[in-house]
Amino acid sequence: MQRVEIPVPVSCIDQIPARPQLITDAELMELQPGQFVTALHVDRLKRDGYQANLEALLEGCL
């Protein structure tokens, strides 16, 4: 009997983070201009955080 080591691909990510809930176009259209801008800013912050988290996970795979 001979031992042979064979590389086996292994996932580097346990699970994909949950996608944040962003405001819909229909919800945006119901807002006043000031609320509209604030809602877009909040969505951008959520998306930026989500993106940073994904990038950090992917960097661990390289």
Side-chain angles (χ1 to χ4, degrees), residues 12-13 51-62:
C12 60
I13 299 174
Q51 180 178 338
N53 193 7
L54 289 177
E55 289 174 355
L57 286 172
L58 290 174
E59 283 179 13
C61 292
L62 298 177

Side-chain angles (χ1 to χ4, degrees), residues 35-50:
Q35 295 171 322
F36 184 92
V37 172
T38 301
L40 288 178
H41 180 68
V42 169
D43 270 7
R44 180 176 180 166
L45 294 175
K46 286 181 189 177
R47 190 185 66 244
D48 286 350
Y50 178 69

Side-chain angles (χ1 to χ4, degrees), residues 22-44:
L22 302 176
I23 195 163
T24 65
D25 289 341
E27 292 170 329
L28 282 172
M29 298 316 262
E30 295 175 3
L31 299 175
Q32 299 299 318
Q35 295 171 322
F36 184 92
V37 172
T38 301
L40 288 178
H41 180 68
V42 169
D43 270 7
R44 180 176 180 166

Side-chain angles (χ1 to χ4, degrees), residues 8-20:
V8 178
V10 177
S11 176
C12 60
I13 299 174
D14 294 334
Q15 72 182 62
I16 297 174
R19 183 177 263 197

